[in-house]
Each structure stands twice: as C-alpha cells, then as structure tokens.
Amino acid sequence: MARYARVKGSIALITLTNPPVNALSAAVRRGIMESVSRALKDEQVKAVVFCGENEKFCGGADIKEFSGSMSGPPLVPLIHSIEAGEKPMVAAIEGVALGGGLELALGCHYRVANTKACLGLPEVTLGLLPAAGGTQRLPRLIGIPAALELITTGRHVSAQEALQLGIVDQVAQGSAVQAAMELALSVIGQPLNPRRLSLRAPVWAPDVDGVCDAALAQVKQRSRGAMAPVACVQAVRAAAMLPYSKGMERERQLMDTLFRSGQAQAMQYAFFAQRNAGKWSLPNGSQWNNTRARDVQRAGVIGLGTMGRGIAVSLVKAGISVVAIETDAKQLESGKKAVTAMLQRDAQRRGVSPPLHLLTFTLSFHQLRDVDLVIEAVFEDMNLKKRVFSDLCKVLRANSLICTNTSGLNVDELAAVTDRQPLVVGMHFFAPAHVMKLLEVVYGARSSPEAVATAMALGKRIEKVCVAVGNCSGFVGNRMLKLYLDQSVYMLEEGATPEQVDQALEEFGFAMGIFKVSDLSGLDVGWRVRKASGLIGPDVDPVKPSRWRLGRRYCPLPDMLCQQGRFGQKTGRGWYLYDSPGSKEAKSDPEIQTFLEDYRRKYGIIPRRITSQEVIERCAFALANEGFRILEDRIAASPEDIDVIYLFGYGWPRHRGGPMFYASQVGLSVVLEKLEHYHRIHPDVPSLEPSRLLRRLVAEGSPPIQQWKSHIKNLRSHL
Ligand code: 3H9
C-alpha cells in the first residue's frame, strides 16, 4: 500500500498505492510508516520523495473507514515523524492533494506540484476539519486570512494558485516526481528546522480577532446551522493564539466533537450518495455498467428561453456543437445575445476564449438533420411539446435521440407522438440550467437503456449530478415538492406567517425558506400548472373559493395572491414585499398579515401558534413520506437518489443528508408516529397518511438506510 524504492542512488521514493485516489487507509498509513522508518535507517538514503500511484498524490483519509472502528497507525503522529525526520522530505504532488493528502504534504519539508495538480482541505464538506495538523500548519505557512478561506470553504486551488499562496515551493511543467527528486538532491545537507511548519511561531497579527470574527459571521450566514465551518474557524483561531502543541490539542477536541456529530455522518453519506447516483439502474436490470452510452458530438436545443439558454451554454462549454432553434427572428436574436454574453463572461473569468464557433443559431429545423441528440426546451405545455416532437421526427436522423426538458409532464405521452419511442427520455434541468448542478434523467416505459445511458453520460459531461428517475407527474423532485408546498400553505391557514415558516426552515439549514423561494421562482408558474390540472376553473367562487378540491384539502391562498397580480420578485410583491419589481431583498408585508387574517375570518379558522418544530416535522416528514411512496413505485432506485435530488436541486442542507437520511436519523418510528399524529388531526390530507414502506420498515426494526433497498424488494414481492 506504499511502495518503497531507492532511486538516483540516494533518494527513497515512497509511492502511495491505493487506487483510485490513494486514500490514506490503515494499510497505506502502515506502509508509509514502515517506508519512512526504512528510509531514515538506510544510510545510503539522503532524501525522501513521496508521490502517489497513477499520477494522483492522495485524496485524503479513507472516508469509508470513518463509519467503522479505526485501526492502523494514526495520521497525526505519522505526519509528525515525517516532519521530524532528519533527511529532507519532499512531496511530489500530481493530480490531487486533498485533506489528509495535503496535510501529509504540509508535514514534508518541501512541496512540488505539477501544473495539473489541485490542492485543498475539503474536510468541511464532509462535516469535519483538517485534523492531521492542517488547521495548525497551513496558517503558519500562508497566514490566517488565506488559511481561513481555504479551510472554511474546502475550495480546491490549482498548482499555480498554490504557488502564489506559498503552499508549494515549485510548479513543474512535466513530472512532479522528477522535479521533486531534483529539488531533494539540491537541498541535501541544508538545515531542516526552518522548513518544519510546526516549529514556526503562531501567526499572530494585530487584527487576528477581527479577521476570525468576520470569518465566523460569514460561515454562520453561509452555512446555517452547520457545525464544521464554525469549528474550522475556532481551530484556525487557535493556530493564531496558541503554541503549536496546544493548537493541535484544540484541533483534536474540535474534531472529536464533529466526528461524533450526526452532521458529519450526513455529509459523508451525501458524498457517497452523490457518487452512487451515477451508478444508475432501471427496473428491467439494465444499469450503468452493462449499457453503452452513445457519443454525442452535435446537439440541438429547441427554444431559447431561460432554460434553453442555460442548456446551450452548458453543452457548448463541454465542447459539444449546438444548433439552437427559435421560432421567430426577434426571440432568436435575443437568445443569441444572451447565450453569447454568458459564454463570453465565463470565458473571461477563466482566461480562455469563448467557444462561440460551436454555436449555430437558426430558425430552420432542417439544420437539425445531423445532430445526435435534441433537447427540447420550449414552454411547459403538452400540446406545444407534442407539436415540436412530431415536427422533429420529420427532420432528424432515424437514430437521433429526443430529450424533453420538462419539470413534470408525462414523457411517455410525448414519446407516443414520435416514430422512436425508445429514443425519447426526459432531461429535467433546474434553473438557471448552466449553474444548477442537478439533472433528473427521466426514463419512460419504452425508453431504451442506451438512451438513458446517453443522457446520463451527457449530463456528466456537462458537469451535472445526474439521477435516473421513472416517469410520473413531477418525477421525484417536484412530486415531493408539491406536498412540502401544501404543508407550508396549510400552516398559513392555521395561524403561521410566511416569515415564521421561512425562519424555521432557514434555522433548519435551508438557504431560503419556501415562501422566499416561491417568490423567487414566480408564483404564476404553479398557478398555471394548477389551472392546467383542473384545480382552478370557472366554477371556483372568486370571493370565497372552496378549500376542498378533487377530493382533498386545497389551499386557495396562492391563487388568491396571483389574482392580485402578486407573482413574487418579478412583480415586486408576492408572499413578501420588494423595493421594486426584480429586486431580491424580501421584506415583511403588513398587507399579507391582514390578508391572512381576513382569510381565516372568512373561513372561520381560529389561528393557533405553530412552533418551528411543527413546521420542520410537517415539511420534512411529508417530503420523506412521499419519498417512501416513490421508492415503493420504483420511480427512484434508492433513498440516496432521492436525497441527491433534494441536495442538488432543492437546497436541502447538506449537513442534514437529504429528506430520507434525515428521516433515518430522526428514527423511522418517530417519523411514523408523527405522521400518524398529523394525519389524525388532518384526515383531509391523504399525503400525511404514513406510507406502506415506512410502516414495513418500522415493523422490521428500522434498518439503516443502506439496507432499505433489500426491504423494498421484499415489500414488492408481497404486493
Ligand atoms: C480527511 O482527509 C481527514 C483528515 O483531515 C484527518 C484525519 C485524521 N476516501 O469522486 P470520484 C472514491 S477527510 C475513500 O468519483 P473524481 C469515491 O468514493 C478526506 N474513497 O472521482 C469513488 O469511489 P467509487 C478529505 C474515496 O475523479 C472513487 O474514489 N478528502 C475518497 O471525480 C472516485 O471518486 C476529500 O474530501 C476518499 N478520500 O474525483 C476528497 N475520495 O468509484 C474526497 C474518493 O467506488 N474526494 N474516493 O464510486 C474527492 O473530492 C474526489 O473523489 C476526487 C476525485 C477529487 C479526489
């Protein structure tokens, strides 16, 4: 797990060998310990170079080990022994030096990276802090402000930036190992104490308290309720205030607290869930590793509204030629301007030239004859999309894929109007499509595994986190969202205000409460959907609309707001008030308070106090309950897939793992009990009735979330 070789006569080359990222498993740590001791004992060896197999230095501690009992030599003393070694130790960084990997490099006396390397301390994204001396050595190397920024964000830096910051001593154009060996030979005999970061004095500066306080305020605002960023600031503050050994003690104490926290478990779960989502499977047994994706060189994008523009930008940035289509010249021109500007801004930021040559803007469908795949992103209207689909079939090659960007329309119904049902899939992007990470790839009843594989591979290529989901109204994300929205507005009827509900959700960790998000997305969007689905019609009394529709409780409050022209940010008024249309700062609106009071009076509702706990329980458990139904229906293959959708598409706080993980962490029997309680009080809300799968899991002793899949199979075999 660490290979030892003597090279150039006097250099010990220690290679970490634990593919794919040479994580510091117990075996690797043991291997390093033995190799270092051998190098120090060997009189022929004058310097030591560390590198990683397959041109990847090290991805850090082995995260899989965190859930078991730790064994093998601990990392902290191991890095100390490297730093204390009486021969120059040089890290040759290629690929990645992350977390414990970078901490190992910081324990070395010199660091060389090659141009393609990236470095960082991303522990905060796993609910932890760099606990192998990273919080103490990095500030001593690059100063408090820069270290705070890197450690609290977990940001990766390029080799060039690492050089500017002073993290590495040299950037090599070619092999970092060769350059490190040359450097090692050149420093033999030079004093090592100045290179030992732990021997440096604390990096105190007159404004250090102010800098740390500002960082603390920033992380509290950015990651509401997350413990790790706060602990990171505390540990770096210790580096500024305390001698090294005391700072290390503080680092360890803080790590112990984080390590045992549910937040770290949630974030590590999220790390693996994200990677597992790419290992998709379909109910028919086809999956990621037995299905070939087609190569996509040229794509068409139909419609250059908000979604189409973002999709075109994402494709072009990934090097795919795009034929972008609009129906009239004016819209085409405005789409062209917007797409070009987005690409130019992005290219400027990255210091490259914009790949505008990959774009063709046209009004003619005929230009699509050579594309491998089309993504239709026209208005969310079934008849319009059907028309586009049948028109596409007239011009496309027989084997071109057709994808629809829809947030919930029936993919099978759309596929049925084409001459190629197996080649039709949904690609549900999230706005803005060039920014948001999530992509739901929706397979219909007749979608071929190859079409799913192609959409998943394309999504990955444009740097999306892709989840394959089945076809049903709203797919996974929006099907669940509807119930979450329902609960939120019911609570307004019962006595809450939008501010109270949003505050509870924000304290839970959401960046924005549901009413602020609704104002941002536009209240008219849901209004249109409700009209199309028959919930709002001419027979609805405009003065006192019914609170009971299609056999269940219905809250007309959002419709009543829309009738007043309150569409959210875009009109300057929604659940909140904004200074002007389009402005973003939400302010409480006394008119909304009066509106809610009048409404309750009109319907004879006696308002009651709704606690934050009730807000979270009703929103989060309603989400999870629908998640269980989605699993029963095989719309999602696993609870991890659902959680990834909520983490990347709906702002669910990462330190809460996702709605399904949260349910497992709270305890399934508690969730069941609460749902039964709320359903007893609100029998007219069928979605609060606990799902069969939840009941079954509780009856089977609430197994851990990783085992739910097998219980779902059993449940199905009993149906
Ligand atoms: C730490 O270091 C704590 C210390 O401060 C203190 C301790 C005392 N462990 O992402 P990919 C797996 S905490 C175990 O698809 P990429 C990953 O699950 C650690 N496994 O590839 C996947 O497995 P599979 C701090 C790991 O090229 C496979 O490798 N370090 C680890 O897109 C490929 O991963 C981090 O937070 C690991 N550390 O990206 C870095 N890393 O094939 C976490 C990866 O079975 N890792 N795997 O699905 C990353 O950010 C990315 O994986 C990396 C490669 C950028 C390295």
Side-chain angles (χ1 to χ4, degrees):
M1 287 295 192
R3 220 175 30 245
Y4 181 92
R6 184 128 65 74
V7 289
K8 296 194 188 266
S10 60
I11 291 181
L13 182 64
I14 299 176
T15 309
L16 279 52
T17 53
N18 183 17
V21 299
N22 302 318
L24 294 161
S25 63
V28 173
R29 297 195 303 276
R30 195 170 298 113
I32 298 174
M33 191 179 75
E34 288 164 4
S35 302
V36 169
S37 145
R38 186 170 163 189
L40 290 174
K41 278 189 204 132
D42 186 342
E43 287 188 359
Q44 305 289 317
V45 169
K46 303 292 179 218
V48 183
V49 170
F50 293 87
C51 66
E53 180 114 302
N54 295 332
E55 297 178 13
K56 282 190 185 133
F57 183 69
C58 175
D62 187 341
I63 305 165
K64 288 192 192 91
E65 282 186 352
F66 292 167
S67 52
S69 56
M70 302 285 268
S71 62
L75 199 51
V76 170
L78 177 62
I79 294 176
H80 274 143
S81 71
I82 292 170
E83 192 189 53
E86 283 306 334
K87 298 176 182 179
M89 307 274 172
V90 185
I93 299 170
E94 298 185 325
V96 288
L98 297 173
L102 179 55
E103 291 174 296
L104 174 72
L106 292 173
C108 291
H109 307 122
Y110 298 89
R111 286 158 293 281
V112 176
N114 73 353
T115 44
K116 290 190 194 137
C118 80
L119 300 85
L121 292 174
E123 285 85 343
V124 70
T125 64
L126 297 168
L128 302 173
L129 52 70
T135 66
Q136 303 305 300
R137 286 196 179 90
L138 191 65
R140 285 173 162 80
L141 184 62
I142 65 172
I144 297 286
L148 269 174
E149 195 268 323
L150 288 189
I151 293 172
T152 57
T153 60
R155 184 168 74 86
H156 297 183
V157 296
S158 65
Q160 201 50 43
E161 189 180 348
L163 182 68
Q164 278 156 11
L165 286 168
I167 300 175
V168 297
D169 302 290
Q170 195 180 312
V171 174
Q173 290 304 316
S175 156
V177 181
Q178 284 305 325
M181 288 196 289
E182 280 158 32
L183 178 78
L185 289 173
S186 72
V187 295
I188 291 169
Q190 288 186 14
L192 291 174
N193 270 356
R195 309 292 312 177
R196 294 185 170 118
L197 297 176
S198 70
L199 297 185
R200 295 195 183 170
V203 272
W204 191 85
D207 61 343
V208 86
D209 255 333
V211 171
C212 290
D213 286 348
L216 201 57
Q218 197 182 34
V219 299
K220 282 185 175 166
Q221 166 70 21
R222 197 173 51 213
S223 358
R224 292 165 202 267
M227 293 161 63
V230 173
C232 287
V233 177
Q234 289 167 335
V236 175
R237 196 193 286 266
M241 304 291 186
L242 302 174
Y244 177 78
S245 60
K246 293 273 182 231
M248 285 300 286
E249 217 175 290
R250 184 83 180 112
E251 183 187 271
R252 188 187 50 74
Q253 285 163 353
L254 289 163
M255 178 66 159
D256 282 351
T257 309
L258 292 179
F259 202 77
R260 282 196 304 270
S261 73
Q263 294 196 359
Q265 284 160 17
M267 292 175 93
Q268 286 152 32
Y269 161 85
F271 175 86
F272 289 113
Q274 180 183 344
R275 277 144 188 92
N276 288 340
K279 298 172 186 165
W280 56 272
S281 61
L282 303 185
N284 68 9
S286 309
Q287 53 186 45
W288 64 285
N289 56 0
N290 64 16
T291 314
R292 260 177 81 131
R294 287 210 215 150
D295 186 28
V296 176
Q297 302 284 353
R298 278 172 70 76
V301 174
I302 317 289
L304 285 176
T306 317
M307 296 308 291
R309 292 171 187 186
I311 295 168
V313 167
S314 305
L315 292 168
V316 169
K317 275 174 64 184
I320 296 164
S321 297
V322 168
V323 178
I325 305 242
E326 254 301 347
T327 43
D328 81 54
K330 209 168 142 203
Q331 278 161 352
L332 185 70
E333 194 47 38
S334 103
K336 181 177 177 179
K337 261 197 199 138
V339 170
T340 310
M342 284 194 263
L343 284 169
Q344 276 166 337
R345 267 197 307 274
D346 176 73
Q348 199 175 17
R349 209 174 34 242
R350 293 188 295 138
V352 294
S353 51
L356 300 178
H357 62 283
L358 293 174
L359 274 162
T360 307
F361 294 93
T362 175
L363 295 171
S364 162
F365 263 46
H366 289 284
Q367 299 250 16
L368 294 169
R369 58 188 174 271
D370 294 330
V371 301
D372 304 304
L373 168 151
V374 165
I375 302 176
E376 161 281 305
V378 301
F379 203 61
E380 191 78 341
D381 173 323
M382 181 57 97
N383 289 332
L384 173 63
K385 284 187 189 271
K386 278 184 179 171
R387 263 200 317 277
V388 170
F389 267 47
S390 46
D391 287 351
L392 281 170
C393 292
K394 292 177 199 148
V395 292
L396 289 180
R397 278 193 329 242
N399 61 353
S400 300
L401 263 71
I402 307 183
C403 309
T404 173
N405 171 55
T406 167
S407 59
L409 294 180
N410 188 337
V411 172
D412 288 331
E413 198 179 327
L414 281 167
V417 304
T418 71
D419 55 1
R420 59 191 79 200
Q421 298 200 40
L423 298 183
V424 175
V425 286
M427 285 181 101
H428 177 202
F429 287 86
F430 289 70
H434 60 300
V435 176
M436 289 291 285
K437 280 295 200 194
L438 181 65
L439 176 65
E440 281 183 320
V441 170
V442 188
Y443 54 86
R446 296 214 167 77
S447 303
S448 70
E450 191 191 17
V452 177
T454 305
M456 290 292 284
L458 179 64
K460 191 170 175 197
R461 193 166 153 202
I462 61 175
E463 297 183 2
K464 301 292 171 204
V465 176
C466 308
V467 184
V469 300
N471 181 32
C472 68
S473 175
F475 315 130
V476 170
N478 284 346
R479 172 170 159 180
M480 287 166 69
L481 180 73
K482 187 186 169 306
L483 307 181
Y484 168 37
L485 279 165
D486 283 351
Q487 288 305 317
S488 313
V489 288
Y490 294 158
M491 285 187 276
L492 295 191
E493 291 185 315
E494 292 163 32
T497 61
E499 291 82 351
Q500 278 167 357
V501 173
D502 280 356
Q503 192 186 340
L505 292 167
E506 286 166 15
E507 277 165 9
F508 181 75
F510 280 96
M512 260 186 175
I514 185 81
F515 291 109
K516 285 187 193 145
V517 172
S518 302
D519 273 1
L520 174 71
S521 326
L523 301 182
D524 51 325
V525 181
W527 196 33
R528 255 196 322 265
V529 173
R530 291 191 295 279
K531 278 181 184 163
S533 61
L535 281 161
I536 310 171
D539 49 340
V540 173
D541 179 349
V543 181
K544 192 175 174 188
S546 161
R547 293 179 58 228
W548 179 264
R549 286 182 216 177
L550 302 183
R552 62 192 60 183
R553 177 172 170 181
Y554 182 84
C555 172
L557 280 168
D559 304 333
M560 294 165 85
L561 281 200
C562 288
Q563 278 160 4
Q564 296 172 24
R566 300 186 72 122
F567 291 169
Q569 284 186 8
K570 64 175 101 166
T571 55
R573 295 179 330 147
W575 294 110
Y576 292 90
L577 194 61
Y578 301 85
D579 281 342
S580 57
S583 86
K584 296 199 179 325
E585 202 196 325
K587 294 181 178 158
S588 293
D589 186 352
E591 264 185 39
I592 288 286
Q593 315 302 330
T594 320
F595 165 68
L596 288 174
E597 280 158 20
D598 289 349
Y599 174 88
R600 292 182 198 119
R601 248 194 315 276
K602 196 181 322 182
Y603 288 94
I605 301 167
I606 299 165
R608 63 185 178 85
R609 189 174 158 268
I610 294 182
T611 62
S612 293
Q613 185 186 347
E614 178 171 346
V615 172
I616 299 305
E617 286 175 356
R618 284 177 64 180
C619 291
F621 298 163
L623 276 173
N625 199 32
E626 192 62 14
F628 285 117
R629 290 203 185 92
I630 281 171
L631 290 170
E632 280 173 25
D633 298 348
R634 305 185 98 173
I635 296 296
S638 69
E640 285 100 329
D641 281 0
I642 297 176
D643 285 337
V644 167
I645 288 171
Y646 264 76
L647 288 170
F648 288 93
Y650 295 85
W652 183 276
R654 203 172 166 87
H655 63 271
R656 306 273 190 188
M660 307 316 285
F661 182 84
Y662 181 64
S664 77
Q665 206 170 39
V666 169
L668 296 185
S669 51
V670 176
V671 177
L672 176 60
E673 203 181 291
K674 291 286 182 184
L675 282 167
E676 280 171 338
H677 164 76
Y678 289 120
H679 189 231
R680 248 194 321 274
I681 300 173
H682 307 285
D684 51 355
V685 183
S687 58
L688 285 174
E689 184 176 3
S691 66
R692 248 178 329 198
L693 178 57
L694 173 60
R695 288 190 188 284
R696 169 61 67 98
L697 288 170
V698 172
E700 291 180 2
S702 301
I705 193 164
Q706 291 77 8
Q707 290 173 21
W708 291 3
K709 249 176 151 173
S710 56
H711 291 261
I712 297 162
K713 270 191 204 135
N714 292 344
L715 176 74
R716 284 211 199 92
S717 63
H718 285 86
L719 292 180

